[in-house]
Each structure stands twice: as C-alpha cells, then as structure tokens.
Amino acid sequence: MAKMEVKTSLLDDMIGVGDMVLLEPLNEDSFINNLKKRFDHNEVYTYIGSVVISINPYRSLPIYTPEKVEEYRNRNFYELSPHIFALSDEAYRSLRDQDKDQCILITGESGAGKTEASKLVMSYVAAVCGKGAEVNQVKEQLLQSNPVLEAFGNAKTVRNDNSSRFGKYMDIEFDFKGDPLGGVISNYLLEKSRVVKQPRGERNFHIFYQILSGASEEFLCKLKLERDFSRYNYLGLDSARVNGVDDASNFRTVRNAMQIVGFMDHETQSVFEVVAAVLKLGNIEFKPESRSNGLDESKIKDKNELKEICELTGIDQSVLERAFSFRTVEAKQEKVSTTLNVAQAYYARDALAKNLYSRLFSWLVTRINESIKAQTKVRKKVMGVLDIYGFEIFENADNSFEQFIINYCNEKLQQIFIELTLKEEQEEYIREGIEWTHIEYFNNAIICDLIENNQTGILAMLDEECLRPGTVTDDTFLEKLNQVCATHQHFESRMSKCSRFLNDTSLPHSCFRIQHYAGKVMYQVEGFVDKNNDLLYRDLSQAMWKANHSLIKALFPEGNPAKINLKRPPTAGSQFKASVATLMKNLQTKNPNYIRCIKPNDKKAAHIFNEALVCHQIRYLGLLENVRVRRAGYAFRQPYEPCLERYKMLCKQTWPHWRGPARAGVEVLFNELGIPEEEFSFGRSKIFIRNPRTLFKLEDLRKQRLEDLATLIEKIYRGWKCRTRFLLMKKCQVVIASWYRRYSQQKKYQKIKGSAITVQSYIRGWKARKLLRELKHLKRCNEAATVIAAYWHGTQARRELKRLKEEARRKHAVAVIWAYWLGLKVRREYRKFFRANAGRKIYEFTLQRLMQKYFLEMKNKMPSLSPIDKNWPARPYLFLDSTHKELKRIFHLWRCKKYRDQFTDQQKLIYEEKLEASELFKDKKALYPASVGQPFQGAYLEISENPKYKKLKDAVDEKIIIAEVVNKINRANGKAASRIFLLTKNNVLLADQKSGTIKSEVPLGDVTKVSMSSQNDGFFAVHLKEGSEAASKGDFLLSSDHLIEMATKLYRTTLSQTKQKLNIEISDEFLVQFKQDKVCVKFIQGSQKNGNIPTCKRKNNRLLEVAVP
Ligand SMILES: Nc1ncnc2c1ncn2[C@@H]1O[C@H](COP(=O)(O)OP(=O)(O)O)[C@@H](O)[C@H]1O
Ligand SMILES: [Mg+2]
C-alpha cells in the first residue's frame, strides 16, 4: 500500500518517538538516543507532552515555508509531526477561541536557538492571524522591533554569532477576533560589561560595528567617528569581522526597521550620537599626576577625544573633565570632594560608558513600546513570548555575578514550569474525574529560597554587604555567605562551617557553589559587590544631566540636582529580583507553552550531535524530570473520538462504524483487546493510558490490522475498480451497440425506403403510361370517330351537293329546254305574224342598246378638261371606231372652246397675234419656235415716259404699236447702227437712237414686202414701193431680236390699214434695193466664233454675206 500522504496522528511515520512521554524505557541514554535519531533524520522537534524540545539544526531546513504554515494551521497538536508551528497554533487558537492568555517560554543556553524560535512563533502567528492594512502595519512593527533590539542587544559570542545579551519578554496583544493590536516588550539585564570589555573571540554589541561599516562618510563625520575599528579601545579586535555577517547591510536594515517602528529622524540621530559617545569614551586615557598633598591625581592624557565627545553630546567640557577627576560624596548636608586616582578614573569612565549604553538600550525598548503599544482600550488577549538566557555554566569557575543572576532566573522559570505543569496535570485529572495519584518530583523552591530569601537569601546578603558601612569586599561577602548558608543543602563552600567541603579541592577558596536543579555551578565571588552596586559617581550623572542633548539628559534623571536623592539606588541584584518576581507573576496568570532549546554542538555546525553536550543540557533543563512528571500518572491521554477513530479497526463491534457514544466504543474496544484494567482509566472526555507500552501495543496491533485492512481495501478496491470498469465498459458497449443498431437500422430503413420509392415510381410510371395509353387510345378513337363522321358527313354533304347540283342542272336544263321549247313554240306561233321585219328590228334594237350602253359608259370615262390632256378611253366595239375618233375630236374642240371662252379681250388679242405669227412663220423660219413663249409687248421703249424721247413723241401723234431699238445694216460695209423702230397705225418710223430724231418715215402703204431668211437670225429687209418717197434711199436692211413680233405686227397693221396682205418672203437669198443698186443678201451657215450673233459682211458690191451660226 502506498505511504499515507495525510497524517492524522503524530504516531504516523514516527522516527524514534515523537513524544518523549512514550519513550520506553525511559532513561538518559534512551532519551538522548531518541533525540539523536530524530536529529539525524532532520526531525529537530520532539515533544514532552505539550512541551517542545527544539534542537538547533544550524542550517536552514525547509520546514518553515508558507505551505508548512498552512499544513499546521487549525490542526490538533498531536495530529502532525512535532513542530514549533503546532505549539504556536495551539497557543494562538486557545488564545483566540478559548480566551486564555498565553505565554511561550523559550529557554535554553546561548546559541540553542531561542531567539530564532521566538521569531518563528511570531512569524507563524503573524501569518495565521487576521489580515488587512491596519493589522499588517501592526504586525510589521512588531516584527521589525526585532532587528533594532538585536542590533543593540546582541553580540557575537563564542557560542553564538548573534547572541542575545539581554532577556526579552514580549507581550503581543490581540483583539477578540485574534487580530494583533500591539505589543509590550520588557527587557532584562543587558550584559553591559560587554560595552567596555569582551572575552576573547567575542565582539562588542553589533551596533558599534554596524555604524562604522555601514554609515556614510558624511554620517560618520557628523558623529566624529572614523571607519577603522582599530581606532577604538572598546572594540575587541580579534574577531571584529564575523563570517557570514554583513554589518554594513545590517546597518541599513536596522535604520529601515527603526523607521518602520516609528523612530523620528532626530531620535535616530540622537541614538547614534549616544552610541558614538560611548565608543569615544573608551579612547579617553588617564595619566597620574602628583598633587601637593602627596596623593596621585588622574589627568586626561589627550583632551581631543573629550572635546569631541562634549561637542557630540553638548556637555560642558570642563564639567566632564572635572567629573573624571573628582568624586563628591554627600552625606548629611555635607559635601566632600575627593580626587580620583587613575584606576578610579578608568572605573568612572567605564561605568559611564556602561550606564550610557544600558540606559540607551532601556530607552530604546521604551521607545519601541510607545510605537507598538495597542491604540485601543478594549480588552485584550495577550500572548507573551519569553526569550531569556538559559542556564549558563562556564568551566573553571568563570561564572560571575551575571551567571548567578541568569541561573537564578532559570531556577525561577523551572519552578514556575514545575508548578504549572503539575497544576495543569492535576487540573486535568480533576477535570476528567480521574483519581489523583501523588507524583514524586523535585521541587526547586528550596534553591529559589536560597537565592531570593529576603533575610537569608544570597541576594539579600549581597545587598546587605553592599550597604554596610566599612570596608566591603567580595571576600567579606563570601564570608558572610559561609556563615549564613552553610547549612543549606544546595550551598557549597570550602570555607563554610560545614566541614563537608573542607577537602574539596575542586572548589577554590574564592568561590561558592550552588546545586541548581540543573546541576552544580561554581561562582567566582570576585566582582559580585561591584556589579551589584553598579556604581556611577554622582558627578558623572550630574554632568550627563547637564548635557545639551535631550536624550542623554533624559537618560540620567538622577543627575538633576533638584531631585537629589541621598538614598542609594537599588542594587542590580534587587532590581533583577524585583523584575523576575513581576515576570513570574505575569506568567502565572497565563497558560504556559514551553519550548526547550538544545544546542547539538559547540561548533555552530550542522549535522553534529555532541551527545555529552546534549546530555548536559538535558540534565540542567530537567527534561527527564519533565517526562517523569508527565508520566507520573498516565503517560498517554487522548480524547475518545480520535482514540476510537484510530483503533476502531481492532475490534469487530467498532469496525467499521460505531453507532454509540465514543466512550462506550473505546470501552468495548479495550475490553475486547483484553488490556489489563490497571493500564487505563476512563476520564470524562479522554482515555488515560498508564504505560506507553500499552499504547505501542495498540499501535502495533493497529499497524498489523491496517495492513490486513489495506489488503482488504485493496481487494475490495480492485474488485470495485474492475467491476466499475466492467460496468462502465458494459454501459459503453450497450451505448455503442444501441448507437450501432440505430445506425444500421437507419441505413437499412433508408435502403428499403429507397427501393420502395423506386418500385413505387416504376409502378406509378407504368400505371401512368397505361392510363396515358388508354387515354391516347380513347382520344384516337374519338378522333377517328370524328374523322369518320366528318368524312361521312362530307360524303353525305358532297352527295347532297352533287344531287342538288344535278337537280339544279336538270332544273336549269329543263328551264333552258323549256325556254327554248317555249321560244320555239312562241316563234312557231308568232312566225306567221312577224316573219319580214323581225330580224332588222331586233338588230336595230340591239344596236341601239349597244350605243346606249357605249355612251353611258363614255360618260363615266371622260378625261379631264385640259386641252393638252391626250388621254382617251379605249374603243369598246370595233364598229364604233370612227365614231370614237370623231367623238374624241369633238370633245377636244369642245374643251378647247371651253378653254378659250375663259380668255379676256386682251388675251384674245395676244393669242390672235400669236396665231397670226404661227400662220406666217411656223415651219418656215427657224427663229419661230423660240418666239412662241415670248409675249409680244410691242412698246419696248417707254417713249412717252422717257423725256429723252419727248421730241419723238411729239412728232408721232398716233398710237405706237412697236417701239424698239433695231440695228440698221450699213449698206456700204454691212456694219450695224442702232435705230429706234416705231410702228404706228399708218407708218413705219426710224429714228436716231440717241437724239430721237426721225430719220425715215414710211407710210404702211409704201411697204411692199418684208424679206427674211429661213434661218435663226433677226435680219430682215423692208422693201419699199418703187418710186415712193420713202424708197429714194433704198430698202431698209434691219436686224432685231423681236423679228417675229415685228413682222407679225407689221403684217396685221398693214392688213387692217390697207386691206392688203403684206408679202412676207422667206428665203436665204434675197435682193435689197440700195439706191440704184440691188444687193444680194446671202445667208450662210457660219462659224460660231462670235457666239450666236450673226455677222454681216460686205463681200462685194452686190453681195452681203450674213453668217448665221
Ligand atoms: N530553527 C533553526 N533553524 C536553523 N538555524 C537555526 C535555528 N535556530 C537557531 N539557528 C541558528 O543558530 C543560531 C543561534 O540561534 P539563536 O536563536 O540566536 O540562539 P539563542 O537565542 O538561543 O542564543 C542562529 O543564528 C541560527 O544560525
Ligand atoms: Mg538569543
């Protein structure tokens, strides 16, 4: 079976025994062996009941991690392996939940790990208690008070590099919820002698070295210090540097911690000034100087150091100087000043240094308390942590007053331990209703009494000796002791009255020995008186009080002359006794928790377990005693529930479940197991087991049973696992199968569905096609029937039609035949009456009918009335050919007449003239066609209007028919000359074109003939009657553009005047009478070089040639 991970009891996986109470057999050897075994397995904590033994491992173990804190948090004390956290948790929880104030007492010799243990307790409590900004600040201040106190109160010693040289008790205060509120620190007996002198291999308090290493140059300068350790007499040089300790960085940590704790800057400054002053005091040296009265007087060798101290502390130099030279004793209003010799001066100097430093330390504690004290007035729960020096025993009678005091303190602690342990034990028995059996144990009250008894106690005697007038020395003190304590069992001295030690050579004469509960310690009596006196000359305290330095002034209130107290200050011993008494009182009100620290070796080395050394510690710590006390009644006790829970598997009735009350279950269980009755007892809530053997037997049985059970569990588990797996697989299989079936069925279904659909579709198709076929067939049948019917009907119809046609033909034929027959019959009938004329009459009638029809048709087909429309309907009958043509002609004439009838007289005249011209020249003169379109205007020249021709107008009084310019051809050369040609009703006149003067006037009757060519020219000759007046100059040969018009008008005018037709000759050769000569004018076809203008040339006397183009 795998190793159980979760612990439910410290008995699980135990190395050796976790609780010494269970140790069998119990003796010193087995005790040490058990511790060693555990130590070798890194188990540094072991219980004695509720007491924790802690062995310093001298190396960091991984057992203080936050995870470990969580592991131990809220767990029962015996549940897990022994641990300082279990104790812390137990203490914290009973403080929080049961409202019990707690104290944690940590004891052990120097270097055993007390201070570390106290820090572990504090850090555990800080980790598990409440959180929040305010709470965290309180925690931080509480935790940070440690570095400050350690710097000023710790030193390197031979045993411990960080040895606390003071006792410390710290009350941490909580509210009802368990949140920290604040704290109060008490300090005990600082080892102040260390300030001025350190044993070999040891150092002064850390702070001196820290300042010199860590302060800045500037700061050192301010403090008038030099960095070199060797400059200071008070600093032991042989181990100024400690391995693994960084003084410089620690200095920064300290300053930071001071700041967190709440020191103001000026306070910090003052503190360091005091430290510097103490350091410098050591450098003041004295030399003897003989006085006049023969006594030696001391003088300060070099005043420079003194001066600097005075500057630092604001003390008047002369005052301090005097205080080092004189001592004033005041007694009964009398002041006596005595000079100090060199030795006294040194004593005074050292006393001042020690006092300054120890008072500074106390002030620091007070100041820290001021910062960390709870701010509220509510009721507080308190957890006290006591980190106090343990028993100190030096070899070779090196034990002095300090050891005496320390051991006294431990004696007291032991006493309270015994008292409280027994008390608790007793209370538990009563609480549980168990019969109380007397427990034998050593009560050290007698030793305490030896030391502290007010009359016969050693401290009382020391005080008595110190206060006694007369010479007091350590020897007188020892003598006194020898007298008073001689009979005390625990006091040993060579010189005592008790003869027992007379021959004890191990006991020197100057020593006494006390049998402490933890062993015998030999004290060297030298220095007891001095140290107890703790004398500081009043001159010095007064000088200090006068300092212009508020802190120093405050440290020496007794220096105030106003408060002079002639009573001696309480001795160191009585002071300590008082504070121890207060402490004890305080502790007695609280629930104690013990941590016993043990140092495994003297070398500060890991892994080394020096049995002799451990044995020594076990002895003086009284640990065996402790176990015995614890075991006096019952070695082991446990509440019923966890007990039943742990062992119930050993009995059938209680396994696996016990239904009744736990106590009954345990009773059944123990009876069943046959444990002898005297071995156990039933308390109210717990079972008490007398002997560890019984417990181990139970454990063995349990172990064996567990193995069986493990096998059983394993078996059942395996079975269960296999079954679960099987069930799971079965379930899986079912699921898979169901899914698969579903899947395959789905597939199958889909396939069937597909096939069904296919078959269905085929069948449907087939059915549809069948139906279609049927329908088609039906349709075809219908169609066929229709067609047949149609054909039939057609046939019928055609037959009928044929029949009807036949019938009609027959009827027609009958009718025709009938008609013919009738005609024949009628003709036969009437032939005898119309035989001669009938044919002609029918013919005429027919002809008439045809004519009638022709004309009626013609009426409708008449062409337009335009004379130039050539259209004419076609001839319908051949026999009407001539008629048709005639009709056309008549129609044309008629329409021409119609056209003419529209003309005015003017138009008629024009057309008459034009008609005349046509008759005269058409087809005769080539010029004619061109003239047809030209209207005949006659008067081309505006004779009557143009003033130029006024004379001409005046000369011609008749109506002018033609007035036009013509060319008169010169008969000599054929050249033309322009003349005005005028035709009046009776005359033809030629006038000059320019002047208008009439050149010739020919009466129309004298004009015989007009000649012209047939060609396209305007030449014409006007032949005159021979012998007439006009003819004397010969005929005129003229040319005009309007020849046709002129000739026509001349013809018409002549005709209307003379009633004779004017002869117009058209020939290409004619003769013209020029005076006597007749000249032939010949027209030839000429070239066209002059355009269309004909040219006239005289060829010879008888020939004029006109070239017509
Ligand atoms: N629990 C621990 N784990 C590791 N080292 C420890 C432990 N306790 C003590 N030490 C070591 O031992 C040294 C001395 O411890 P400390 O508590 O100062 O002793 P004490 O106060 O009893 O004189 C510490 O400086 C530290 O190095
Ligand atoms: Mg310490």
Side-chain angles (χ1 to χ4, degrees):
M1 202 172 88
K3 188 182 163 191
M4 291 253 283
E5 287 293 315
V6 182
K7 284 195 173 190
T8 56
S9 167
L10 98 161
L11 296 171
D12 291 322
D13 305 320
M14 212 161 53
I15 295 158
V17 288
D19 191 341
M20 288 296 190
V21 173
L22 305 176
L23 198 62
E24 260 311 305
L26 176 67
N27 56 44
E28 216 167 63
D29 286 343
S30 65
F31 195 103
I32 290 167
N33 282 337
N34 189 37
L35 279 184
K36 184 174 170 12
K37 189 175 177 193
R38 290 177 64 74
F39 180 79
D40 289 343
H41 287 84
N42 293 332
E43 290 283 353
V44 295
Y45 297 109
T46 309
Y47 293 151
I48 302 175
S50 59
V51 174
V52 176
I53 302 173
S54 158
I55 305 180
N56 188 349
Y58 279 119
R59 69 199 164 99
S60 65
L61 294 174
I63 53 170
Y64 307 113
T65 55
E67 292 76 44
K68 275 280 169 189
V69 170
E70 282 309 312
E71 197 182 321
Y72 278 87
R73 192 173 182 168
N74 295 332
R75 299 286 288 267
N76 281 324
F77 190 69
Y78 295 106
E79 215 172 308
L80 303 174
S81 324
H83 199 292
I84 192 164
F85 286 170
L87 176 125
S88 312
D89 193 69
E90 178 78 5
Y92 176 68
R93 277 196 297 136
S94 58
L95 168 109
R96 190 187 59 190
D97 305 337
Q98 295 167 26
D99 211 9
K100 280 189 200 161
D101 283 352
Q102 302 288 321
C103 66
I104 291 162
L105 307 177
I106 308 168
T107 52
E109 75 180 62
S110 181
K114 299 182 296 292
T115 308
E116 292 297 323
S118 77
K119 287 194 260 184
L120 286 169
V121 170
M122 280 169 74
S123 65
Y124 179 84
V125 172
V128 299
C129 71
K131 298 198 166 60
E134 223 172 288
V135 172
N136 283 349
Q137 200 203 336
V138 173
K139 281 187 203 172
E140 191 64 14
Q141 284 193 336
L142 288 175
L143 294 177
Q144 289 298 326
S145 66
N146 274 332
V148 182
L149 290 180
E150 283 189 12
F152 287 87
N154 287 22
K156 175 203 150 69
T157 65
V158 186
R159 299 188 181 89
N160 182 355
D161 288 347
N162 183 31
S163 178
S164 322
R165 306 316 298 162
F166 65 106
K168 180 181 153 199
Y169 174 74
M170 182 173 188
D171 264 338
I172 309 170
E173 297 165 334
F174 296 85
D175 66 5
F176 68 98
K177 300 197 299 288
D179 289 350
L181 293 170
V184 185
I185 298 171
S186 315
N187 62 314
Y188 300 98
L189 199 74
L190 179 77
E191 186 202 35
K192 56 188 167 188
S193 61
R194 184 168 295 272
V195 175
V196 296
K197 190 169 186 294
Q198 305 93 39
R200 263 197 160 283
E202 300 195 358
R203 286 209 315 184
N204 210 325
F205 292 102
H206 292 324
I207 191 66
F208 294 113
Y209 305 91
Q210 288 177 354
I211 290 188
L212 296 187
S213 311
S216 63
E217 292 296 342
E218 193 191 346
F219 192 57
L220 281 183
C221 197
K222 233 180 186 175
L223 297 178
K224 302 185 192 301
L225 291 177
E226 282 168 63
R227 214 178 271 295
D228 188 2
F229 295 159
S230 62
R231 280 278 294 107
Y232 300 99
N233 295 334
Y234 278 169
L235 300 184
L237 283 182
D238 47 344
S239 53
R241 303 249 172 235
V242 184
N243 267 352
V245 175
D246 182 351
D247 287 317
S249 96
N250 286 346
F251 182 62
R252 285 188 288 277
T253 314
V254 170
R255 291 202 70 163
N256 186 39
M258 286 173 91
Q259 209 172 1
I260 292 171
V261 171
F263 280 81
M264 313 298 278
D265 280 350
H266 69 89
E267 287 173 328
T268 316
Q269 174 75 21
S270 300
V271 168
F272 289 127
E273 277 165 6
V274 174
V275 174
V278 170
L279 203 51
K280 290 169 88 67
L281 269 178
N283 288 358
I284 294 180
E285 285 178 351
F286 302 96
K287 56 182 183 200
E289 217 174 68
S290 298
R291 286 261 305 259
S292 49
N293 58 9
L295 288 172
D296 257 359
E297 188 191 280
S298 78
K299 275 274 177 239
I300 294 169
K301 263 190 202 163
D302 178 7
K303 291 193 184 160
N304 204 29
E305 204 77 42
L306 183 74
K307 186 173 147 250
E308 284 185 355
I309 293 172
C310 292
E311 279 167 7
L312 254 182
T313 54
I315 300 172
D316 191 342
Q317 193 180 335
S318 59
V319 173
L320 190 57
E321 201 179 333
R322 204 191 131 73
F324 280 137
S325 310
F326 293 93
R327 180 181 169 199
T328 311
V329 182
E330 270 172 82
K332 296 168 192 163
Q333 283 94 38
E334 234 180 298
K335 262 192 195 175
V336 184
S337 247
T338 51
T339 53
L340 300 178
N341 60 27
V342 171
Q344 284 170 325
Y346 274 116
Y347 178 84
R349 177 197 77 170
D350 288 348
L352 177 62
K354 287 192 281 188
N355 266 289
L356 251 181
Y357 193 82
S358 69
R359 288 173 192 219
L360 173 69
F361 187 74
S362 300
W363 179 87
L364 278 172
V365 172
T366 318
R367 177 66 190 79
I368 289 171
N369 281 338
E370 235 167 73
S371 280
I372 63 174
K373 75 168 178 236
Q375 301 297 323
T376 51
K377 292 257 183 302
V378 294
R379 211 183 75 75
K380 298 155 202 152
K381 301 177 181 187
V382 178
M383 179 186 283
V385 182
L386 181 69
D387 168 18
I388 204 148
Y389 17 61
F391 240 88
E392 264 183 24
I393 310 170
F394 291 110
E395 312 286 308
N396 307 326
D398 268 347
N399 307 297
S400 180
F401 181 71
E402 285 87 357
Q403 280 68 45
F404 176 71
I405 292 290
I406 288 169
N407 293 345
Y408 161 58
C409 178
N410 277 281
E411 204 70 58
K412 290 293 280 181
L413 283 173
Q414 176 65 16
Q415 197 187 11
I416 198 172
F417 167 66
I418 292 168
E419 256 175 41
L420 291 177
T421 315
L422 285 175
K423 202 170 103 198
E424 201 193 35
E425 195 82 359
Q426 207 165 350
E427 274 170 7
E428 178 156 42
Y429 284 5
I430 292 164
R431 201 165 52 233
E432 292 289 335
I434 303 240
E435 207 179 308
W436 171 248
T437 42
H438 181 73
I439 299 167
E440 280 298 333
Y441 67 96
F442 169 69
N443 192 340
N444 68 338
I446 185 166
I447 306 172
C448 293
D449 188 65
L450 169 67
I451 299 170
E452 67 181 2
N453 188 292
N454 282 338
Q455 273 84 47
T456 55
I458 295 175
L459 281 174
M461 245 146 347
L462 184 58
D463 277 3
E464 214 178 287
E465 196 62 15
C466 288
L467 295 171
R468 182 173 64 85
T471 30
V472 176
T473 60
D474 295 320
D475 293 331
T476 59
F477 164 60
L478 184 58
E479 252 173 58
K480 190 161 188 159
L481 282 186
N482 285 338
Q483 284 169 18
V484 178
C485 309
T487 51
H488 200 285
Q489 289 173 313
H490 294 268
F491 183 81
E492 298 173 7
S493 168
R494 197 87 177 262
M495 306 298 284
S496 72
K497 287 186 271 176
C498 185
S499 54
R500 278 189 294 158
F501 307 105
L502 278 173
N503 297 321
D504 189 345
T505 45
S506 65
L507 185 62
H509 288 287
S510 61
C511 295
F512 63 92
R513 196 156 56 189
I514 294 176
Q515 266 188 39
H516 286 291
Y517 77 98
K520 290 183 180 179
V521 180
M522 190 158 66
Y523 296 101
Q524 174 65 256
V525 83
E526 191 192 321
F528 263 61
V529 173
D530 247 2
K531 285 173 180 168
N532 191 39
N533 266 332
D534 188 23
L535 206 60
L536 179 69
Y537 299 145
R538 188 166 295 155
D539 304 70
L540 280 172
S541 56
Q542 282 177 352
M544 289 297 118
W545 184 82
K546 282 183 193 142
N548 188 18
H549 189 281
S550 55
L551 177 58
I552 293 179
K553 201 180 183 81
L555 295 183
F556 292 88
E558 83 271 21
N560 186 349
K563 287 188 188 167
I564 264 194
N565 187 357
L566 291 181
K567 252 176 78 187
R568 287 182 63 110
T571 57
S574 59
Q575 264 184 47
F576 190 73
K577 193 174 121 186
S579 53
V580 164
T582 322
L583 177 65
M584 295 306 140
K585 230 181 193 168
N586 187 354
L587 295 181
Q588 259 158 354
T589 62
K590 296 189 167 81
N591 184 41
N593 301 272
Y594 290 96
I595 300 170
R596 301 298 202 148
C597 297
I598 287 177
K599 196 160 109 170
N601 60 68
D602 263 336
K603 301 191 174 78
K604 304 173 195 168
H607 302 297
I608 297 174
F609 191 88
N610 183 334
E611 287 180 27
L613 190 69
V614 174
C615 175
H616 175 66
Q617 292 171 76
I618 287 167
R619 270 188 209 158
Y620 75 65
L621 284 174
L623 293 184
L624 270 167
E625 294 279 302
N626 199 172
V627 180
R628 284 196 187 109
V629 167
R630 182 79 189 177
R631 271 167 51 154
Y634 296 90
F636 186 77
R637 65 214 64 180
Q638 198 174 26
Y640 288 119
E641 283 81 13
C643 177
L644 183 62
E645 194 58 35
R646 192 166 177 83
Y647 302 114
K648 65 180 179 181
M649 67 289 283
L650 299 180
C651 162
K652 277 208 173 95
Q653 283 106 301
T654 51
W655 177 255
H657 298 294
W658 175 255
R659 304 281 172 205
R663 181 186 164 144
V666 176
E667 276 172 26
V668 169
L669 183 72
F670 275 50
N671 284 335
E672 189 76 10
L673 290 173
I675 297 168
E677 273 192 35
E678 66 277 9
E679 272 301 310
F680 57 89
S681 223
F682 293 107
R684 285 207 179 83
S685 65
K686 286 178 182 170
I687 173 87
F688 287 75
I689 297 172
R690 194 176 295 279
N691 211 312
R693 257 169 310 180
T694 315
L695 181 72
F696 290 129
K697 194 178 143 202
L698 280 173
E699 277 295 305
D700 285 345
L701 286 172
R702 179 175 178 269
K703 212 166 149 193
Q704 204 169 354
R705 179 78 180 123
L706 273 184
E707 267 161 29
D708 296 347
L709 282 177
T711 319
L712 185 72
I713 290 169
E714 206 172 3
K715 187 180 86 184
I716 292 171
Y717 172 73
R718 284 211 182 125
W720 171 84
K721 203 173 151 188
C722 284
R723 188 167 161 71
T724 341
R725 196 175 140 77
F726 165 73
L727 287 178
L728 187 73
M729 281 173 69
K730 194 173 148 192
K731 206 171 140 193
C732 295
Q733 188 273 330
V734 169
V735 170
I736 292 169
S738 75
W739 276 89
Y740 177 74
R741 276 200 206 112
R742 185 187 133 159
Y743 167 77
S744 70
Q745 288 300 323
Q746 256 174 357
K747 273 229 131 151
K748 204 169 150 188
Y749 164 74
Q750 238 126 29
K751 214 166 153 184
I752 291 171
K753 193 175 155 188
S755 316
I757 287 170
T758 312
V759 170
Q760 217 171 33
S761 70
Y762 273 106
I763 289 173
R764 283 206 185 124
W766 174 75
K767 265 184 161 175
R769 278 192 299 279
K770 197 177 147 197
L771 187 67
L772 184 68
R773 239 179 355 251
E774 278 168 10
L775 287 174
K776 272 183 177 171
H777 179 70
L778 205 68
K779 196 178 162 201
R780 256 204 309 275
C781 287
N782 283 345
E783 271 173 6
T786 315
V787 169
I788 291 167
Y791 275 103
W792 170 245
H793 287 147
T795 313
Q796 291 274 82
R798 274 191 303 280
R799 232 181 251 167
E800 183 64 13
L801 185 68
K802 214 167 150 188
R803 194 185 58 80
L804 285 174
K805 271 184 177 172
E806 191 73 13
E807 205 175 78
R809 240 192 335 266
R810 271 194 212 130
K811 272 183 186 163
H812 184 65
V814 169
V816 170
I817 294 166
W818 173 252
Y820 273 102
W821 166 246
L822 220 58
L824 190 68
K825 238 169 68 171
V826 169
R827 271 189 311 273
R828 263 186 210 156
E829 190 71 31
Y830 288 94
R831 197 175 285 166
K832 49 200 178 216
F833 309 109
F834 298 110
R835 196 172 287 178
N837 296 323
R840 225 184 55 177
K841 275 207 177 163
I842 289 163
Y843 172 74
E844 276 166 4
F845 174 75
T846 310
L847 210 60
Q848 250 176 352
R849 286 287 302 154
L850 284 176
M851 289 296 280
Q852 195 181 8
K853 196 180 165 195
Y854 167 68
F855 283 119
L856 284 170
E857 276 173 5
M858 276 308 281
K859 192 182 132 195
N860 296 332
K861 289 186 205 162
M862 268 311 173
S864 73
L865 287 179
S866 170
I868 51 170
D869 187 358
K870 293 267 192 313
N871 287 336
W872 189 246
R875 167 190 43 134
Y877 307 110
L878 190 62
F879 76 93
L880 285 173
D881 187 35
S882 54
T883 317
H884 196 68
K885 274 180 189 156
E886 186 62 19
L887 197 59
K888 181 182 176 185
R889 199 187 57 80
I890 292 168
F891 177 74
H892 183 68
L893 288 176
W894 173 76
R895 76 181 170 189
C896 287
K897 162 99 174 51
K898 271 277 199 205
Y899 186 73
R900 278 195 313 272
D901 286 350
Q902 292 166 15
F903 293 167
T904 58
D905 287 342
Q906 187 91 35
Q907 278 174 319
K908 264 184 198 159
L909 206 66
I910 289 167
Y911 281 109
E912 264 171 23
E913 268 182 354
K914 281 283 181 184
L915 193 64
E916 199 77 67
S918 160
E919 278 163 9
L920 288 174
F921 301 109
K922 194 176 174 191
D923 302 333
K924 292 168 187 165
K925 174 72 177 162
L927 197 62
Y928 172 71
S931 76
V932 174
Q934 293 171 355
F936 294 166
Q937 287 177 345
Y940 289 95
L941 296 172
E942 308 287 335
I943 300 291
S944 48
E945 272 102 63
N946 199 337
K948 203 165 107 183
Y949 303 125
K950 184 145 171 25
K951 211 160 95 187
L952 187 61
K953 165 99 171 79
D954 293 346
V956 183
D957 50 354
E958 292 161 311
K959 185 179 176 238
I960 295 167
I961 294 162
I962 291 173
E964 162 76 314
V965 176
V966 297
N967 289 322
K968 181 174 174 285
I969 310 300
N970 192 320
R971 61 199 82 174
N973 54 13
K975 295 258 173 68
S978 293
R979 290 290 184 270
I980 297 172
F981 180 91
L982 294 176
L983 173 67
T984 66
K985 222 159 144 188
N986 296 310
N987 299 302
V988 172
L989 296 144
L990 285 175
D992 188 75
Q993 196 205 359
K994 283 171 193 145
S995 62
T997 38
I998 298 168
K999 294 267 177 130
S1000 312
E1001 185 168 4
V1002 180
L1004 283 177
D1006 289 351
V1007 176
T1008 56
K1009 191 167 85 171
V1010 174
S1011 304
M1012 65 185 73
S1013 76
S1014 66
Q1015 296 189 28
N1016 200 8
D1017 63 315
F1019 286 87
F1020 69 100
V1022 180
H1023 300 280
L1024 303 177
K1025 199 191 271 174
E1026 275 181 48
S1028 69
E1029 192 187 347
S1032 61
K1033 282 191 206 164
D1035 301 339
F1036 301 116
L1037 182 59
L1038 305 168
S1039 113
S1040 169
D1041 290 341
H1042 300 98
L1043 169 64
I1044 300 298
E1045 186 183 353
M1046 283 170 141
T1048 308
K1049 285 203 165 156
L1050 195 59
Y1051 177 80
R1052 280 177 61 91
T1053 314
T1054 310
L1055 188 62
S1056 69
Q1057 231 34 60
T1058 63
K1059 310 291 180 214
Q1060 283 175 355
K1061 285 187 182 174
L1062 184 63
N1063 188 11
I1064 292 176
E1065 188 187 319
I1066 297 172
S1067 165
D1068 287 346
E1069 253 182 63
F1070 52 81
L1071 291 172
V1072 180
Q1073 184 75 44
F1074 290 129
K1075 292 189 182 159
Q1076 285 83 35
D1077 303 329
K1078 281 202 191 232
V1079 175
C1080 179
V1081 180
K1082 194 176 177 182
F1083 290 85
I1084 56 158
Q1085 198 76 36
S1087 71
Q1088 290 198 337
K1089 31 179 191 196
N1090 295 335
N1092 281 344
I1093 301 160
T1095 50
C1096 183
K1097 250 183 201 162
R1098 174 126 187 174
K1099 289 287 179 180
N1100 52 46
N1101 281 349
R1102 303 240 170 230
L1103 185 63
L1104 258 172
E1105 213 172 67
V1106 180
V1108 182

